[in-house]
Amino acid sequence: MAKIPYKIYLEESEMPKAWYNLRADMKNKPAPLLNPATHKPMTFEELTPVFCDDLVRQELDCDTPFFEIPPEIRDFYKMYRPSPLVRAYFLEKALDTPAKIYYKFEGNNTSGSHKLNSAIAQAYYAKKQGLKGVTTETGAGQWGTALSMACSHFGLDCKVFMVKVSYEQKPHRREVMRTYGASVTPSPSESTEVGRQILRDHPGTTGSLGCAISEAVETALSLPGYRYVLGSVLTQVLLHQSIIGLETKAALDKYEIKPDIIIGCAGGGSNLGGLISPFMGEKLRGEANYRFIAVEPASCPSLTRGRYAYDYCDTGMVCPLAKMYTLGSSFIPSANHAGGLRYHGMSSVLSQLYADGLMEARAVEQTSVFDAAVLFARVEGTLPAPESSHAIRAAIDEALKCKETGEEKTIVFGLTGTGYFDMTAYEKYNDGRMTDTIPSDEELEASFAQLPKVE
Amino acid sequence: MAKIPYKIYLEESEMPKAWYNLRADMKNKPAPLLNPATHKPMTFEELTPVFCDDLVRQELDCDTPFFEIPPEIRDFYKMYRPSPLVRAYFLEKALDTPAKIYYKFEGNNTSGSHKLNSAIAQAYYAKKQGLKGVTTETGAGQWGTALSMACSHFGLDCKVFMVKVSYEQKPHRREVMRTYGASVTPSPSESTEVGRQILRDHPGTTGSLGCAISEAVETALSLPGYRYVLGSVLTQVLLHQSIIGLETKAALDKYEIKPDIIIGCAGGGSNLGGLISPFMGEKLRGEANYRFIAVEPASCPSLTRGRYAYDYCDTGMVCPLAKMYTLGSSFIPSANHAGGLRYHGMSSVLSQLYADGLMEARAVEQTSVFDAAVLFARVEGTLPAPESSHAIRAAIDEALKCKETGEEKTIVFGLTGTGYFDMTAYEKYNDGRMTDTIPSDEELEASFAQLPKVE
């Protein structure tokens, strides 16, 4: 066997032609979305006024193992995919570990993250349905950027509600979206009923993701030819993100590499779910065994300290109920810099896998995450996003355990994105001013007390 | 022949193992650097107090056609290279042109540009010489970022003098450098003689690249074990950047593609020189013919409106004299956003080639450059740097000519970097507030009048 190259790229012809639907191989299926009023499973008819038809079909389908990736989406993927699977030779050397470390790097595109994988799929199905445009919310701006790029490609209108504090503090992200033709509105805004109500009740508010979701949904429902789209949590997103895992597995297979541990950061769960999907499928079918580790911030520890229960997906309580590990939709995480991981719940698919003992989870504190991020940046070159750095932290910790035991384990982790728009967080770290806030048990109990009562 | 993929990647084993020194094939060699006091050619002994020994050898060598790339540098290259040669299928479609358009994309690394190719080489030779560290200046921050990454890799100290206005307005670039362990000083500073003098004479000045160069050189000369390094203009930099052209040629050869036109943006000339080197070599040796187009900003048109004369490389007049197309070292370009192209002169190698009629040049105005940039971003996905977008403008113009004539020309251009740290410029464009300032003939004449008199 020749030496493994630093970067493994698939040929264009080797790129996956279908997404893999992990639910098809799950014995215990994820619990269905419930209508928040009736507590009955959401039907196709109930979901399609808000979401595109084909995406609702994907959302509700727990049986079809593969969905063909339409050629239009595969062509778009070819612009920025396959993403490299990188052998972290320099990190291994810096750690002096016998472990072999690989990472799948999803940051080499203008959205700076894996979000584009699902954005282009959602835009495609909206276009196919003959819609005029889509609405969405964005916090830090990665999802909004990805969706703007995707809508620009298909000539769809894109209306982004951006949490006001981010709109003002991250003008560069906003300008990327505008460059791709999106309209970006600071939320709360005067343009929706819910926005006006919030501005009346809380003049001077800097907004929240929950409020931005409510405004985006209201706008989609009120404009003919518009639907609402979402960048994480939903099962359709996890399906699209399976491209990450499928490419990773194909690259590893090419060199006959069998990973022992697969690690990803977990916010809503879409990148982790996408990365592990084909490997978890093998495990579920009894064909192979792997350890999976979900890494979440100690400030927002939904898997490690949350309840497995039905809850609202949004703080505005307009979306369906999902059964998931949750800190309660009223939980407000501290201003942790890993904006993409500040979600109170977790994908229902990952939640079920975790409940079934098929996956591990751990929470890590922010300063140790940035220790790992800076080490990684210096030895591997790429400046990682704070979110991705949670996975780096755990990968380093596992590699250091191998150093102690002498085991030559193969570790694969997902490097979801770059940190170029997160330099304010790095500045705090560089200046020694970084802190972290861990929620107290009392705080979590108070939030759990407000979970909806579902039979 | 199979369909050309969207992205052509070389295998690691196909990556170049030597840089190509174009001067070896030039009949008319570029004019030598002159001592600013004696007007005699600079010697090895005169240059080595400022620059590393091996780099001076490369600078002075007009005969050796290939320099082996040391294995340590090749290993570093493997972290972020080979860079993709991309077939711009979506751009071709948007333009409805029979032309075939390719671009070599150098932006997929944390420095965001091709600058890393030379930074790692310069850091390597400094380390090899047993030096403690290097000093440099940076304006927009791309070169400083690249050098910080390179120094971090070899454990060298890195002192960056950053033009004060950029230090304050681009804190994110500054933080990237600090994350890689560099010390970043706003220039002018109190830490050098020349800085203190300038602060006495011009209290409240926001600094200039010329001043930052002078501070970096003074610091290198005053600290034992330090040398000064430079990111463009010098012939050694062009040598290192030949990796761009060598990879491009290898990728094209793999698919038996012969380009007709090769286009690059031109500031100091290092990326353009690097891209065209192996192709120009073929042309010089009579093995092939190509059109080469250097694209410069209309606000700083050194090739199209400058004089071919000996001039100072820096506004502080501390560096050697170089014979080049120049607007005069006292020329101050308008605050064009393409910071990397705001240089009064041009690489002596490219200047000689242009003087010999082997290369074309054109100047383009900023708003039309951003028209091209935004079109490119929307259809090809990647948000380009303003500098790189000069090449995009010319490539689009050439492709549109093919549309008129029906010719199926093959166009290759260099996409040197991404625009993620240039969103203020995009904001101006998006808001319709972008302007450009073209220097008047009188202004240029006044600057030419101050050119040094060299026999």
Side-chain angles (χ1 to χ4, degrees):
Chain A
M1 175 66 63
K3 192 191 168 196
I4 310 291
Y6 280 67
K7 296 190 291 185
I8 305 176
Y9 279 108
L10 299 177
E11 300 287 327
E12 202 173 84
S13 57
E14 296 169 319
M15 286 175 66
K17 294 182 178 59
W19 294 301
Y20 168 59
N21 182 11
L22 178 58
R23 288 167 294 175
D25 281 311
M26 289 171 71
K27 212 171 99 185
N28 298 327
K29 305 289 183 193
L33 294 172
L34 297 187
N35 182 313
T38 65
H39 290 190
K40 296 238 162 67
M42 291 290 287
T43 62
F44 180 82
E45 290 69 26
E46 286 174 319
L47 285 164
T48 46
V50 179
F51 298 107
C52 304
D53 294 2
D54 278 337
L55 292 168
V56 171
R57 280 185 199 103
Q58 294 178 355
E59 190 68 30
L60 297 176
D61 190 330
C62 288
D63 303 305
T64 309
F66 287 97
F67 285 86
E68 196 208 333
I69 307 175
E72 292 87 344
I73 298 176
R74 279 164 48 204
D75 278 348
F76 188 88
Y77 278 167
K78 289 173 194 166
M79 274 206 309
Y80 72 100
R81 307 197 68 81
S83 69
L85 181 71
V86 186
R87 174 74 183 266
Y89 283 117
F90 287 117
L91 179 61
E92 293 171 16
K93 197 177 153 197
L95 299 175
D96 189 24
T97 174
K100 296 172 183 65
I101 309 175
Y102 294 84
Y103 58 92
K104 179 71 166 170
F105 180 40
E106 292 287 319
N108 272 348
N109 69 75
T110 292
S111 84
S113 80
H114 64 292
K115 296 281 183 186
L116 199 51
N117 301 331
S118 183
I120 192 63
Q122 298 195 43
Y124 168 80
Y125 291 114
K127 184 71 178 179
K128 190 182 158 207
Q129 195 174 326
L131 298 176
K132 273 194 221 161
V134 294
T135 70
T136 200
E137 78 290 337
T138 202
Q142 282 178 315
W143 167 246
T145 304
L147 190 67
S148 305
M149 294 172 68
C151 285
S152 165
H153 184 72
F154 287 120
L156 278 172
D157 185 39
C158 180
K159 295 188 191 301
V160 180
F161 288 87
M162 186 170 189
V163 178
K164 191 181 270 177
V165 61
S166 299
Y167 183 90
E168 287 163 1
Q169 290 181 354
K170 297 207 166 185
H172 291 180
R173 279 276 191 210
R174 180 188 77 210
E175 285 310 317
V176 177
M177 291 183 254
R178 288 184 68 212
T179 301
Y180 284 91
S183 74
V184 187
T185 306
S187 167
S189 76
E190 292 284 351
S191 69
T192 66
E193 191 72 39
V194 61
R196 288 189 291 271
Q197 184 64 48
I198 289 171
L199 286 170
R200 270 197 300 274
D201 295 349
H202 309 278
T205 176
T206 54
S208 71
L209 212 47
C211 167
I213 293 178
S214 305
E215 286 201 273
V217 171
E218 181 185 322
T219 303
L221 286 168
S222 65
L223 288 177
Y226 279 75
R227 291 294 184 282
Y228 168 69
V229 297
L230 191 61
S232 187
V233 185
L234 292 180
T235 306
Q236 58 187 266
V237 181
L238 203 138
L239 172 72
H240 308 145
Q241 296 296 358
S242 70
I243 186 88
I244 304 173
L246 292 164
E247 280 188 10
T248 302
K249 188 158 162 35
L252 291 170
D253 286 350
K254 209 167 160 173
Y255 287 88
E256 297 175 24
I257 302 160
K258 276 278 166 202
D260 297 293
I261 310 174
I262 301 170
I263 299 170
C265 63
S270 70
N271 102 77
L272 175 66
L275 172 65
I276 71 173
S277 272
F279 301 98
M280 183 63 86
E282 288 187 292
K283 183 165 175 166
L284 290 168
R285 296 189 304 269
E287 297 163 9
N289 198 12
Y290 306 101
R291 277 180 66 199
F292 301 100
I293 306 176
V295 192
E296 56 187 15
S299 59
C300 193
S302 50
L303 285 170
T304 51
R305 294 179 65 198
R307 291 277 167 83
Y308 189 35
Y310 266 106
D311 194 9
Y312 296 97
C313 291
D314 59 318
T315 44
M317 304 183 185
V318 297
C319 292
L321 297 173
K323 190 174 178 193
M324 56 186 177
Y325 280 87
T326 179
L327 300 167
S329 67
S330 66
F331 175 75
I332 296 168
S334 76
N336 189 310
H337 291 291
L341 305 182
R342 292 179 64 204
Y343 183 65
H344 67 277
M346 181 59 59
S347 144
S348 61
V349 172
L350 291 183
S351 291
Q352 185 62 49
L353 294 168
Y354 184 60
D356 289 342
L358 291 156
M359 182 177 81
E360 303 165 36
R362 70 178 64 161
V364 289
E365 291 190 54
Q366 181 161 243
T367 308
S368 79
V369 166
F370 272 81
D371 289 342
V374 171
L375 171 65
F376 183 85
R378 291 190 181 186
V379 299
E380 287 290 322
T382 298
L383 187 94
E387 291 86 350
S388 324
S389 303
H390 287 69
I392 299 174
R393 175 74 270 167
I396 288 176
D397 290 342
E398 292 300 317
L400 290 175
K401 280 185 207 162
C402 290
K403 185 177 176 179
E404 278 179 30
T405 62
E407 289 173 289
E408 290 186 27
K409 284 186 181 164
T410 295
I411 299 167
V412 174
F413 72 91
L415 188 72
T416 52
T418 52
Y420 307 148
F421 289 92
D422 300 288
M423 294 317 298
T424 309
Y426 275 95
E427 184 175 5
K428 274 200 183 147
Y429 177 83
N430 292 336
D431 289 344
R433 291 185 287 112
M434 178 160 278
T435 57
D436 203 0
T437 310
I438 318 296
S440 68
D441 289 340
E442 293 70 28
E443 197 181 335
L444 293 184
E445 286 302 328
S447 181
F448 295 150
Q450 294 182 51
L451 286 170
K453 308 282 172 277
V454 177
E455 297 280 301
Chain B
M1 173 66 62
K3 191 192 170 196
I4 310 289
Y6 281 66
K7 296 190 291 185
I8 306 175
Y9 280 108
L10 299 178
E11 300 287 327
E12 202 173 86
S13 57
E14 296 169 318
M15 286 174 67
K17 294 182 178 59
W19 294 301
Y20 168 58
N21 183 11
L22 179 57
R23 289 167 293 175
D25 281 311
M26 289 170 71
K27 212 171 95 185
N28 298 327
K29 307 287 183 193
L33 295 172
L34 298 187
N35 182 313
T38 65
H39 289 190
K40 295 236 162 70
M42 292 290 286
T43 62
F44 180 81
E45 289 69 25
E46 286 174 318
L47 285 164
T48 45
V50 179
F51 299 107
C52 305
D53 293 2
D54 278 337
L55 292 168
V56 172
R57 281 185 199 101
Q58 294 178 354
E59 189 69 28
L60 296 176
D61 190 329
C62 287
D63 304 304
T64 308
F66 288 97
F67 285 86
E68 197 209 330
I69 307 175
E72 292 86 344
I73 299 176
R74 279 163 48 201
D75 277 347
F76 188 87
Y77 279 166
K78 289 173 194 165
M79 273 207 310
Y80 72 99
R81 309 196 67 82
S83 69
L85 181 71
V86 186
R87 173 74 183 267
Y89 282 116
F90 287 117
L91 179 61
E92 292 171 16
K93 198 176 153 196
L95 299 175
D96 188 24
T97 174
K100 295 171 183 65
I101 310 174
Y102 295 84
Y103 58 93
K104 180 71 167 169
F105 180 41
E106 293 287 320
N108 272 347
N109 69 74
T110 293
S111 84
S113 80
H114 63 293
K115 296 280 184 186
L116 199 50
N117 300 332
S118 183
I120 192 62
Q122 298 195 44
Y124 167 80
Y125 291 114
K127 184 70 179 179
K128 189 182 157 209
Q129 195 172 328
L131 298 176
K132 274 194 221 163
V134 294
T135 70
T136 200
E137 76 290 338
T138 201
Q142 282 177 315
W143 167 246
T145 303
L147 190 68
S148 304
M149 293 172 69
C151 286
S152 164
H153 185 72
F154 287 121
L156 277 173
D157 185 40
C158 179
K159 296 187 189 303
V160 180
F161 288 87
M162 186 170 189
V163 178
K164 192 182 270 176
V165 61
S166 299
Y167 182 91
E168 286 162 1
Q169 291 181 354
K170 296 206 167 186
H172 291 180
R173 279 276 192 210
R174 180 189 76 209
E175 285 309 318
V176 177
M177 290 184 255
R178 288 184 69 212
T179 300
Y180 283 92
S183 75
V184 187
T185 306
S187 168
S189 75
E190 292 285 351
S191 69
T192 65
E193 191 72 39
V194 61
R196 288 188 292 271
Q197 182 65 47
I198 289 172
L199 287 170
R200 271 196 302 272
D201 295 349
H202 309 278
T205 176
T206 54
S208 71
L209 212 46
C211 168
I213 293 177
S214 304
E215 287 200 274
V217 172
E218 181 186 323
T219 304
L221 286 168
S222 65
L223 289 178
Y226 280 74
R227 290 294 184 279
Y228 167 70
V229 297
L230 191 63
S232 189
V233 186
L234 292 180
T235 306
Q236 59 187 263
V237 180
L238 203 139
L239 173 72
H240 307 145
Q241 296 296 357
S242 70
I243 186 87
I244 304 174
L246 292 164
E247 279 188 9
T248 302
K249 186 154 163 42
L252 291 171
D253 285 351
K254 208 167 161 174
Y255 287 88
E256 297 174 24
I257 302 160
K258 276 279 167 203
D260 298 292
I261 310 174
I262 301 172
I263 298 170
C265 64
S270 70
N271 102 77
L272 175 66
L275 173 64
I276 70 174
S277 273
F279 302 97
M280 183 63 85
E282 288 187 291
K283 184 165 175 167
L284 291 168
R285 296 189 303 270
E287 298 164 8
N289 198 12
Y290 306 102
R291 279 180 64 201
F292 300 100
I293 306 176
V295 193
E296 57 186 15
S299 59
C300 194
S302 50
L303 285 170
T304 52
R305 296 178 65 199
R307 292 275 168 84
Y308 189 36
Y310 267 105
D311 194 9
Y312 297 98
C313 291
D314 60 317
T315 43
M317 306 183 184
V318 297
C319 293
L321 296 173
K323 189 174 178 191
M324 56 186 178
Y325 281 87
T326 179
L327 299 167
S329 67
S330 65
F331 174 74
I332 296 168
S334 75
N336 190 308
H337 291 291
L341 304 182
R342 293 179 62 204
Y343 183 65
H344 67 276
M346 182 59 60
S347 144
S348 61
V349 172
L350 292 182
S351 291
Q352 185 63 49
L353 294 168
Y354 184 60
D356 289 342
L358 291 157
M359 182 178 82
E360 303 165 37
R362 69 178 64 159
V364 289
E365 292 191 54
Q366 182 161 244
T367 308
S368 80
V369 167
F370 272 81
D371 289 342
V374 171
L375 172 64
F376 183 85
R378 291 190 181 186
V379 299
E380 287 290 322
T382 298
L383 187 94
E387 291 86 350
S388 323
S389 303
H390 287 68
I392 299 174
R393 175 74 270 167
I396 288 176
D397 290 342
E398 291 300 317
L400 290 176
K401 279 185 208 162
C402 289
K403 184 178 177 179
E404 278 179 29
T405 62
E407 288 172 291
E408 290 185 28
K409 285 187 180 161
T410 295
I411 300 167
V412 174
F413 71 91
L415 188 72
T416 52
T418 53
Y420 308 147
F421 289 92
D422 300 289
M423 294 316 299
T424 309
Y426 276 95
E427 184 174 4
K428 274 198 184 150
Y429 177 83
N430 292 335
D431 290 344
R433 290 186 289 113
M434 178 160 279
T435 57
D436 202 0
T437 310
I438 317 295
S440 68
D441 289 340
E442 293 69 27
E443 196 181 336
L444 292 183
E445 286 302 328
S447 180
F448 295 150
Q450 294 181 53
L451 287 170
K453 307 283 173 277
V454 177
E455 297 279 300

